[in-house]
């Protein structure tokens, strides 16, 4: 006779902890944190993030000048700008692209694309994804690699792609990269 009563008591006792937790959640209480939270910077508003992105193109750019205005591309615009490669960036939490045609001190053309990847880990992820096995590291520019007519690097939340159209413009890429990297906080 004690068997069914004992089972009923055990079943009721087993239901008490989940019921208590459900009641706490229903009332909006949360379990205490396992460790003290790490202070994080407040995320930038969209307008502040856009302003910071555009500010990279102002002032000294290592002897290179913006040819026209800097264009900003959201997700939809990214498909228009880089076509098939857009999903790779979007999967890595791309936020916005600032792109500009530029001119070196000797008049050679180049393009500067700065991708705001929202977080440093996202910028590193896209850098590693796009890294060519034939690219060369640059001793004087950490987190940068160069290839024929190109130089890419990541710094903070940004992934930067510089593309030259001739040897003279290619020679200007390292100075531009250092100037941009110096502006990234």
């Amino acid at each position: 006779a004690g068997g069914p009563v004992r089972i009923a008591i055990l079943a009721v006792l087993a239901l008490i902890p989940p019921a208590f937790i459900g009641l706490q959640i229903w009332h909006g209480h949360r379990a205490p944190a396992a460790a003290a939270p790490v202070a994080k910077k407040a995320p930038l508003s969209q307008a502040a993030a856009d302003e910071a992105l555009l500010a990279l193109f102002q002032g000294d750019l290592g002897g290179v000048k913006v040819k026209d205005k800097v264009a900003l591309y959201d997700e939809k615009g990214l498909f228009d700008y880089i076509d098939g490669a857009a999903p790779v960036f979007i999967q890595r939490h791309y936020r916005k692209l600032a792109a500009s045609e530029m001119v070196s001190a000797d008049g050679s053309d180049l393009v500067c694309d700065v991708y705001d990847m929202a977080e440093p880990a996202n910028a590193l992820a896209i850098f590693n994804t796009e890294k060519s096995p034939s690219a060369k590291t640059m001793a004087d520019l950490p987190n940068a690699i160069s290839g024929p007519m190109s130089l890419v690097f990541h710094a903070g939340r940004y992934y930067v792609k510089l593309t030259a159209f001739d040897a003279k413009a290619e020679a200007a890429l390292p100075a531009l990269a250092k100037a941009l990297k110096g502006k990234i906080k």
Side-chain angles (χ1 to χ4, degrees):
V5 172
R6 186 178 298 159
I7 292 173
I9 291 172
L10 288 175
V12 169
L13 290 175
L15 291 175
I16 290 174
F20 179 73
I21 292 169
L23 186 63
Q24 291 296 311
I25 292 170
W26 185 62
H27 285 289
H29 297 144
R30 292 195 172 103
V38 176
K40 276 183 103 174
K41 286 186 202 176
L44 292 175
S45 70
Q46 294 294 321
D50 287 354
E51 188 177 310
L53 184 57
L54 290 171
L56 297 175
F57 291 84
Q58 298 169 357
D60 177 35
L61 294 170
V64 175
K65 295 191 184 320
V66 173
K67 205 174 189 182
D68 207 4
K69 73 178 217 167
V70 178
L72 290 178
Y73 296 91
D74 59 10
E75 275 189 25
K76 183 183 178 312
L78 187 64
F79 278 94
D80 295 336
Y81 189 75
I82 63 172
D83 196 30
V88 173
F89 284 83
I90 292 167
Q91 289 168 353
R92 285 160 184 81
H93 309 288
Y94 156 86
R95 192 193 74 78
K96 203 161 271 189
L97 164 66
S100 178
E101 291 183 13
M102 304 182 102
V103 62
S104 66
D106 63 11
S108 295
D109 292 329
L110 56 117
V111 173
C112 176
D113 296 331
V114 181
Y115 295 84
D116 181 346
M117 298 301 295
E119 295 287 334
N122 302 337
L124 174 60
I126 199 70
F127 177 80
N128 288 333
T129 298
E130 289 216 315
K131 190 186 299 184
S132 166
S134 64
K136 300 174 197 149
T137 59
M138 302 182 68
D140 58 338
L141 197 59
N143 302 320
I145 53 175
S146 65
M149 303 290 188
S150 68
L151 189 156
V152 297
F153 69 91
H154 67 95
R157 62 190 281 154
Y158 302 108
Y159 171 68
V160 180
K161 250 185 176 179
L162 306 175
T163 307
F165 294 107
D166 62 32
K168 289 180 184 177
E170 184 178 23
L173 296 182
L176 174 57
K178 287 176 186 172
L180 288 168
K181 196 162 190 179
K183 294 174 184 233
I184 297 172
K185 295 176 175 74

